[in-house]
Amino acid sequence: MSIDRQLYKSVLRHWASGVTIITTRVGDEIAGMTASAFSSVSLDPPLVLACIEKKAHTLPLLAKSGVFAVNVLAHDQRELSDRFATTGNEAQRFDGIVCRSGLTGAPWLPGTLAVLDCIVTAAHEAGDHVIYVGSVEAAEFSDSLEPLLHYDARYRGLTPR
């Protein structure tokens, strides 16, 4: 017996998470998508996971490249998150954005809070998603930025204590 789909979605909306954009590259072809289904997996070795919907435009290129970058968005990057979450604009997502290439060749977006550059070590089909486990090969972060958060279908920020 499985839970009602609407109840399940409503419950998951109450899980606060950071917002990331998963990017990948093969040659001159790049792809990226907004994702909140990201997590650390292991400290030794350093592993993370990203869950990619099977119908996502980014999935075939990520599968082909075997690399991805997790770009953790800063509080002022809502527009970027929306751009990479909108269906139908995949060919224009990177327009006007000057990216650096990470060690793996995956695009690092400018102005992010943090980035993790990964090589795929495993892929697991799970329902309507593929779970990619990545070995973190390079990373950087900024101490001067706050994160972009997502909770109850809205963007949020940290509240100072």
Side-chain angles (χ1 to χ4, degrees), residues 113-134:
L113 175 67
V115 65
L116 297 136
D117 202 22
C118 306
I119 294 175
V120 174
T121 60
H124 308 279
E125 290 201 25
D128 58 2
H129 282 65
V130 178
I131 301 167
Y132 282 96
V133 177

Side-chain angles (χ1 to χ4, degrees), residues 24-101:
T24 190
R25 172 190 316 269
V26 173
D28 290 335
E29 191 177 358
I30 56 176
M33 59 174 280
T34 300
S36 58
F38 157 75
S39 180
S40 61
V41 173
S42 169
L43 187 58
D44 186 18
L47 300 173
V48 297
L49 67 79
C51 299
I52 311 298
E53 191 173 16
K54 288 180 180 177
K55 64 182 180 180
H57 177 79
T58 303
L59 181 69
L61 195 64
L62 197 159
K64 184 177 178 181
S65 73
V67 301
F68 64 94
V70 180
N71 296 269
V72 180
L73 299 189
H75 72 291
D76 62 350
Q77 294 185 304
R78 292 176 183 194
E79 184 178 310
L80 193 62
S81 174
D82 288 341
R83 180 196 292 200
F84 279 79
T86 302
T87 302
N89 71 341
E90 290 85 1
Q92 293 83 35
R93 287 183 179 172
F94 288 90
D95 286 358
I97 299 174
V98 178
C99 297
R100 295 184 292 146
S101 288

